[in-house]
């Protein structure tokens, strides 16, 4: 059901410093900051030859990333994102297998302009999983 790894998301306490580190220290192709108010984050995508890194920074008072950074002040891996062909079929199959879909269960439009869903980390070995329709 899942396709390729789309990205690994890392919550960061300083988006500018983290972007500079990837650009200057690692020589990566770093994109511009992009506000995603529906998700409560500002994101920066780093393009790699085989996938992407998504830097996450809190946006707004109700940002889920703010809580993550309170528990992990230095930042850290927040979630991984897999591609799926049909997000509704994937949701239905996963729900039938007992996996919990976070939120309303209906896809939201993600940072790439495509439908996304998140799966409960307790159902996936402590890892928050994002699914993105391709």
């Amino acid at each position: 059901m899942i396709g390729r790894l789309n990205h690994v998301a890392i919550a960061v306490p300083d988006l500018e410093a983290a972007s500079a580190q990837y650009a200057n220290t690692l020589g990566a192709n770093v994109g511009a900051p992009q506000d995603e108010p529906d998700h409560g984050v500002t994101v920066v995508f780093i393009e790699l030859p085989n996938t992407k890194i998504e830097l996450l920074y809190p946006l707004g008072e109700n940002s889920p990333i703010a809580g993550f950074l309170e528990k992990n002040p230095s930042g850290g891996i927040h979630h991984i994102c897999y591609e799926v062909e049909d997000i509704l079929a994937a949701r239905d199959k996963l729900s039938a297998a007992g996996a919990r879909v976070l939120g309303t269960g209906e896809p939201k439009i993600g940072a790439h302009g495509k439908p996304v869903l998140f799966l409960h980390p307790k159902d996936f070995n402590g890892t928050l999983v994002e699914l993105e329709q391709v």
Side-chain angles (χ1 to χ4, degrees):
M1 175 183 11
I2 63 172
R4 73 180 201 93
L5 176 67
N6 184 280
H7 65 266
V8 175
I10 302 172
V12 298
D14 184 333
L15 190 58
E16 191 174 315
S19 296
Q21 182 181 43
Y22 274 88
N24 301 330
T25 306
L26 296 173
N29 179 13
V30 176
Q34 177 180 326
D35 289 345
E36 295 294 332
D38 288 348
H39 297 277
V41 296
T42 299
V43 301
V44 168
F45 281 100
I46 299 161
E47 297 287 334
L48 303 176
N50 59 343
T51 193
K52 294 181 280 295
I53 300 293
E54 178 185 40
L55 301 178
L56 301 171
Y57 184 77
L59 176 66
E61 293 179 17
N62 297 321
S63 173
I65 299 306
F68 182 91
L69 288 171
E70 284 176 20
K71 295 175 190 166
N72 306 280
S74 297
I77 294 176
H78 183 262
H79 68 268
I80 58 174
C81 177
Y82 298 113
E83 295 178 352
V84 295
E85 295 280 329
D86 181 336
I87 200 159
L88 296 177
R91 176 200 62 195
D92 294 346
K93 183 174 182 176
L94 287 159
S95 293
R100 289 172 281 179
V101 177
L102 298 178
T104 65
E106 292 302 315
K108 287 186 175 183
I109 299 302
H112 296 117
K114 298 176 182 174
V116 299
L117 287 171
F118 286 88
L119 306 174
H120 201 292
K122 289 185 179 177
D123 298 334
F124 293 93
N125 305 295
T127 303
L128 179 62
V129 173
E130 179 182 15
L131 301 178
E132 179 177 290
Q133 184 169 291
V134 293

